[in-house]
Amino acid sequence: MKLIIAIVNNDDSAVVSSALTGENFIVTKLSTTGGFLMVGNTTFLIGAEDGDVARVKEIIKKYSQTRTASNPSTASFGRSLSKDGLPSEVKVGGATVFVLDVNSMEKY
Ligand code: 2BA
């Protein structure tokens, strides 16, 4: 079994969620914030059988769009304490996906 952690743009999260649950995958959605732009995004936790991982990734990829974000927030100043050196535009997404091995999963 794998745990898929997928960070998705908030604007895509509803459709990603519907597509996954529509194929009977069980998902947990967390409200998260990107550390660079300091803008809300959605992190999905999906426990899936090894053989389902490719399908889950396919669905996430299909519904996660790439966007351009301009003017990184002043919260990004933590990197250098000034806007100097920060890109004026960054490409965000589609999705960032991690796949982790699961030692065990139990439900009580
Ligand atoms: P943020 O951290 O807000 O990053 C938004 C976008 O800004 C990133 O898009 C990337 O294009 C750019 N960016 C991030 N850190 C940067 C830096 N130090 N210098 C210059 N540009 C930077 P994505 O790579 O598509 O990431 C979208 C969101 O996914 C991120 O939001 C973060 O919440 C998450 N993420 C991406 N890679 C991650 C990783 N390796 N570990 C944990 N979270 C990650």
Side-chain angles (χ1 to χ4, degrees):
M1 184 172 212
K2 305 287 187 196
L3 176 65
I4 300 163
I5 300 175
I7 302 158
V8 172
N9 193 294
N10 274 349
D11 293 338
D12 297 326
S13 68
V15 68
V16 168
S17 182
S18 303
L20 288 168
T21 55
E23 292 199 21
N24 295 322
F25 294 111
I26 303 180
V27 310
T28 296
K29 284 170 65 180
L30 305 175
S31 295
T32 46
T33 304
F36 187 67
L37 293 178
M38 297 302 282
V39 167
N41 51 29
T42 301
T43 298
F44 286 88
L45 305 180
I46 307 146
E49 296 305 328
D50 290 14
D52 288 330
V53 171
R55 180 63 190 146
V56 169
K57 289 203 282 190
E58 219 171 72
I59 293 170
I60 294 168
K61 186 174 179 182
K62 179 172 178 185
Y63 293 107
S64 299
Q65 295 173 24
T66 301
R67 295 176 173 81
T68 301
S70 52
N71 297 321
S73 102
T74 50
S76 304
F77 290 6
R79 200 174 80 152
S80 63
L81 296 180
S82 87
K83 263 197 161 176
D84 299 343
L86 285 177
S88 59
E89 278 195 343
V90 289
K91 207 176 89 173
V92 186
T96 300
V97 179
F98 302 88
V99 180
L100 287 67
D101 288 325
V102 173
N103 285 335
S104 71
M105 190 200 90
E106 281 141 50
K107 291 188 181 182
Y108 301 106

